[in-house]
Amino acid sequence: MEDFDVIVIGAGPAGEVAAGRLAAAGLSTVIVESELAGGECSYWACMPSKALLRPVDLAGEVGRVTGLRLAGPIDAGAVLARRDAVVSQYDDAGQARWLDSAGVTLVRGAGRLAGPRRVEVTTADGGVRTLVANHAVVLATGSRSVIPPVAGLAAAGPWTNREATGARAIPERLVVIGGGVVACEMAQAMRGLGSREVTMLVRGGDLLTRMEPFAGEMVARSLADQGVDIRTHESAEKVERPEPGGEVTVRLASGGTVRADEILVAAGRRSATDDLGLASVGLPESRPVEVDDSMRATGVADGWLYAVGDVNGRALLTHMGKYQARAASDVIVARVRGEADDRPGMRDRADRAGAPQVVFTDPQVCAVGRTEAQARAEGFDVRVVEHDMEQVAGGYLLGEGYRGKAKAVVDERRRVLLGVTFVAPGAAELLHAATIAVTSEVTLDDLWHAVPSYPTVSEVWLRLLEAYGL
Ligand SMILES: Cc1cc2nc3c(=O)[nH]c(=O)nc-3n(C[C@H](O)[C@H](O)[C@H](O)COP(=O)(O)OP(=O)(O)OC[C@H]3O[C@@H](n4cnc5c(N)ncnc54)[C@H](O)[C@@H]3O)c2cc1C
């Protein structure tokens, strides 16, 4: 039996941030990892997907400026090689070194709760190590792809985000199940990198349904212009792949069929809690771990269990998991030291305001706070202002083909922003200003004095305020 002040299970971005901060505060900290330190984000999600999308994005940018033209198609082989470099050739030695330098002990194996403050780690050789926490255990095991119960789908060896972001070659024909963020990003990446046919099967009528409706519409238009075949109100009824690695036939609910070389399932994710021993501490298995705003698991006596990142189901985004990890680790340190554990940084406030998120399609979808529909459903006195971003000098200068739209959702009672969405090429870096305004509840009258430079796309802020009547 080995004892530490804190045990973190899962070395994805959330777990690593928690462990690093706890160790920096002087607590002996161990992190348990069953695959690669760095987690889904580093090897099979954020990083490789953005490496695949970057050249496609840039090609779109080039196409919008008169006088510029790509010399030829994108060199997909070189892009995949760059992706391999971005994911450090799927080797986590660098992360392991960082953990070591941060004073965090890395134990490789699958961690499982075995009662209060106790974790059993099954190592690759089948051995079991028992770790005991003096103060806290932090769950940071992330999430996994959901494979919907479609006949023949699981047996057909579908791609999940792992195979898509880790593709060794670009498939000639790809069928994508889903219309959310991963589906849109990967459909665009594969088509842009050379897939001849990309077909999206979208159960509902729209893409990106959690965002403002115009976001899904603009992304759908861009994907269609790029040649992606989007089938809405459509789903797979049966999937057949007689030969492993051979052609896939998807029988559609509407009656037709689609044939492809690969099938990507991007139909949602679920918290990785299946084999985590939650029952041993009285929590339900196979569900997100419910937490309070200090990331402490609810319903566990003595409050020694925390959950950060995708595993708690609050916001499946790397930056939010890391934010939660900062809050949880500061709370743990304060409680160990007997200090106040309710200082402002120690509570999750950002999730409640609405987490910022960027969808890295072309155009990018950048949103923070509530959508208009959410704000109305929550009973706010809402007013909405919108502006087309190509009408701003900075947008127009980005190219004749540049199109974008901004929307702000205003709380009329307090004259503050409840939510902001930008949909435009390269808009990601605009989002943080909106995040500051929404989470800090800056009044519109104060925003008026934050003068955007000319000629930048940020002048859309001024246009939104003018549209409001300032
Ligand atoms: C294709 C794709 C693209 C994405 N792009 C973005 C993006 O651009 N920006 C963004 O913010 N988010 C993005 N996300 C979401 C982001 O990847 C997740 O929100 C993030 O990885 C969650 O971090 P985490 O630390 O909670 O979990 P993870 O990154 O999933 O890490 C969890 C770790 O825990 C380990 N683990 C699990 N169970 C055990 C166990 N029992 N014992 C030991 N170790 C265990 C796993 O091996 C893993 O290393 C994307 C997701 C996908 C699928």
Side-chain angles (χ1 to χ4, degrees):
M1 212 163 70
E2 302 155 77
D3 70 301
F4 294 87
D5 288 334
V6 185
I7 303 169
V8 180
I9 308 182
E16 282 191 331
V17 165
R21 212 164 162 95
L22 288 160
L27 300 187
S28 64
T29 307
V30 60
I31 194 162
V32 183
E33 174 54 52
S34 57
E35 293 189 79
L36 296 178
E40 201 75 13
C41 173
S42 302
Y43 306 99
W44 301 288
C46 327
M47 296 299 283
S49 61
K50 269 77 256 182
L52 296 178
L53 281 161
R54 172 65 181 144
V56 178
D57 196 38
L58 202 50
E61 191 84 348
V62 166
R64 283 188 280 270
V65 185
T66 304
L68 268 186
R69 184 158 62 84
L70 282 186
I74 296 171
D75 179 348
V79 173
L80 297 182
R82 176 169 179 263
R83 181 272 325 273
D84 286 343
V86 166
V87 298
S88 310
Q89 317 294 335
Y90 302 96
D91 179 350
D92 68 355
Q95 288 305 116
R97 268 195 304 277
W98 177 80
L99 286 166
D100 189 47
S101 69
V104 177
T105 303
L106 171 62
V107 169
R108 293 193 182 272
R112 196 171 196 286
L113 292 167
R117 292 193 176 84
R118 182 181 281 258
V119 173
E120 284 178 357
V121 183
T122 306
T123 52
D125 60 9
V128 175
R129 285 170 75 170
T130 301
L131 312 177
V132 174
N134 299 326
H135 299 292
V137 176
V138 181
L139 303 176
T141 52
S143 63
R144 300 195 178 113
S145 285
V146 171
I147 307 286
V150 173
L153 178 59
W159 276 9
T160 65
N161 63 294
R162 288 199 165 197
E163 292 76 17
T165 59
R168 305 316 309 163
I170 304 302
E172 276 280 299
R173 298 167 302 169
L174 177 70
V175 59
V176 180
I177 296 182
V181 178
V182 174
C184 291
E185 287 188 353
M186 286 299 96
Q188 187 152 57
M190 292 298 159
R191 175 72 183 143
L193 293 174
S195 286
R196 183 164 48 80
E197 284 174 23
V198 176
T199 309
M200 294 176 74
L201 306 180
V202 183
R203 194 191 287 270
D206 303 295
L207 304 180
L208 304 173
T209 49
R210 291 183 189 173
M211 329 280 289
E212 293 285 1
F214 73 90
E217 286 160 21
M218 288 176 71
V219 170
R221 215 171 305 136
S222 157
L223 286 167
D225 287 349
Q226 204 191 352
V228 173
D229 179 3
I230 304 172
R231 314 260 184 108
T232 52
H233 302 292
E234 186 60 279
S235 53
E237 206 164 62
K238 188 172 181 195
V239 178
E240 291 165 319
R241 184 178 234 171
E243 302 288 327
E247 187 181 70
V248 184
T249 303
V250 184
R251 303 209 179 281
L252 304 175
S254 65
T257 54
V258 179
R259 292 180 208 288
D261 301 298
E262 296 295 348
I263 178 165
L264 165 62
V265 180
R269 300 184 68 78
R270 66 186 166 79
S271 303
T273 52
D274 285 346
D275 193 23
L276 206 49
L278 290 175
S280 75
V281 298
L283 293 180
E285 302 265 8
S286 306
R287 291 238 303 269
V289 179
E290 209 174 282
V291 292
D292 64 17
D293 282 346
S294 71
M295 301 302 129
R296 192 140 67 162
T298 51
V300 177
D302 297 337
W304 55 273
L305 186 65
Y306 296 74
V308 296
D310 283 12
V311 73
N312 67 28
R314 283 199 162 199
L316 275 57
L317 291 162
T318 290
H319 45 278
M320 296 311 288
K322 297 201 294 192
Y323 164 74
Q324 294 167 5
R326 291 191 288 273
S329 45
D330 288 1
V331 165
I332 292 168
V333 171
R335 287 174 187 162
V336 169
R337 292 179 180 162
E339 295 170 358
D341 66 358
D342 57 355
R343 295 200 303 274
M346 297 177 174
R347 291 295 180 274
D348 177 357
R349 201 174 97 187
D351 267 330
R352 234 176 309 136
Q357 178 170 16
V358 176
V359 184
F360 288 81
T361 42
D362 181 12
Q364 290 172 344
V365 177
C366 314
V368 61
R370 296 165 173 88
T371 60
E372 178 184 353
Q374 285 165 346
R376 290 196 190 284
E378 287 177 39
F380 286 99
D381 180 7
V382 168
R383 176 152 165 228
V384 164
V385 282
E386 297 179 337
H387 195 76
D388 289 337
M389 293 164 76
E390 65 273 15
Q391 289 174 13
V392 178
Y396 167 73
L397 285 169
L398 289 178
E400 292 62 32
Y402 177 92
R403 297 281 176 280
K405 183 169 173 173
K407 174 172 177 174
V409 180
V410 179
D411 175 357
E412 279 289 75
R413 196 173 60 78
R414 293 177 300 153
R415 285 168 74 89
V416 297
L417 293 167
L418 293 168
V420 178
T421 300
F422 302 112
V423 183
E429 298 299 339
L430 275 183
L431 184 60
H432 195 58
T435 304
I436 294 169
V438 170
T439 52
S440 308
E441 303 188 326
V442 181
T443 66
L444 298 189
D445 304 292
D446 282 330
L447 274 178
W448 180 253
H449 300 284
V451 182
S453 298
Y454 180 84
T456 62
V457 180
S458 294
E459 278 200 311
V460 72
W461 281 100
L462 177 57
R463 300 287 169 253
L464 288 170
L465 293 173
E466 286 172 341
Y468 183 78
L470 266 74

